[in-house]
Amino acid sequence: MRLSLGLFPFALCFPCLALAELPADEQTAGFVELFNGKDFTGWRFGQESPPKEIPTNWKVEDGVIKVLGGGKPNLATAQEFGDFELRLEWRGAVPNKGYNSGLFIRSGKNVGANQLNLAKGSEGNFINGKVEGAKPVGDLQKPAGEWNEWRITALGDKLSFTCNGKSAYEATGLKPAKGYIGLQAEGAHMEFRNLRIREIKP
């Protein structure tokens, strides 16, 4: 499913991010890889990007970002994003177990606000920020151990959210106008892959 962007059809990509691994249709649409599948280039745990030291609870393996538990640090992009469409896949890494994490969008440099929850049963709920129309959409998620695909579009103050090909909700009131994207360490084993993004420009 491709989300309609109405009056904002144009996208710009970032020269520093790779295109080679993306499907042709996504390249044409202006998507770039947010995660290169090899290391944390373009990401940071503090101020430094790429990070020189990798925390013991984070690693990249087999094209997947893995967080192995722990309550910190969170992983954040090196650059800010304004209007964008983000696509990614995630899963709770241990089948038949609870899982917990979060996806931050337009968050501050320390990525603690504007979180789409990844706690089992509350997936997709918008916390540590305020929008109108968001809700938990755990019924759209697959069981732990299986990959879920999320698509998030932030356009002005509007937030569109799609889970596994099904529209989850349309929300409004998203602030600020730009910020960082991040992944949360929240005590559980989680995995993320195929993170790609396109900027939306008028």
Side-chain angles (χ1 to χ4, degrees), residues 100-185:
N100 197 357
S101 183
L103 170 67
F104 301 103
I105 60 170
R106 287 194 192 166
S107 194
K109 197 156 191 176
N110 293 326
V111 287
N114 288 352
Q115 180 190 148
L116 280 81
N117 204 349
L118 275 166
K120 185 173 176 59
S122 296
E123 298 94 330
N125 197 24
F126 196 85
I127 60 176
N128 299 323
K130 185 177 180 180
V131 295
E132 296 293 331
K135 60 184 179 181
V137 288
D139 57 319
L140 299 181
Q141 313 308 315
K142 296 179 182 179
E146 296 185 24
W147 289 102
N148 295 276
E149 185 192 36
W150 280 12
R151 297 186 179 188
I152 298 102
T153 299
L155 188 60
D157 74 337
K158 297 179 176 60
L159 175 65
S160 300
F161 182 32
T162 299
C163 301
N164 295 321
K166 296 182 180 180
S167 178
Y169 57 73
E170 304 279 337
T172 58
L174 179 62
K175 296 180 181 179
K178 66 177 182 178
Y180 298 90
I181 292 169
L183 302 174
Q184 185 185 40

Side-chain angles (χ1 to χ4, degrees), residues 44-46 55-58 67 69-75 183-186:
R44 59 187 172 79
F45 293 101
T56 57
N57 59 327
W58 288 90
V67 57
K72 61 180 181 180
N74 296 328
L75 178 65
L183 302 174
Q184 185 185 40
E186 189 70 352

Side-chain angles (χ1 to χ4, degrees), residues 45-63:
F45 293 101
Q47 304 299 316
E48 188 177 65
S49 179
K52 291 182 180 178
E53 295 186 7
I54 308 301
T56 57
N57 59 327
W58 288 90
K59 68 178 179 177
V60 173
E61 186 175 61
D62 300 326

Side-chain angles (χ1 to χ4, degrees), residues 8-83:
F8 298 87
F10 302 105
L12 295 179
C13 60
F14 314 107
C16 60
L17 298 176
L19 282 167
E21 301 301 323
L22 295 179
D25 63 328
E26 291 193 353
Q27 292 187 40
T28 300
F31 282 91
V32 294
E33 289 182 330
L34 193 56
F35 164 55
N36 65 15
K38 300 175 182 178
D39 55 36
F40 289 109
T41 297
W43 295 82
R44 59 187 172 79
F45 293 101
Q47 304 299 316
E48 188 177 65
S49 179
K52 291 182 180 178
E53 295 186 7
I54 308 301
T56 57
N57 59 327
W58 288 90
K59 68 178 179 177
V60 173
E61 186 175 61
D62 300 326
V64 176
I65 294 174
K66 298 182 178 182
V67 57
L68 308 176
K72 61 180 181 180
N74 296 328
L75 178 65
T77 55
Q79 71 180 82
E80 293 181 288
F81 297 90
D83 291 342

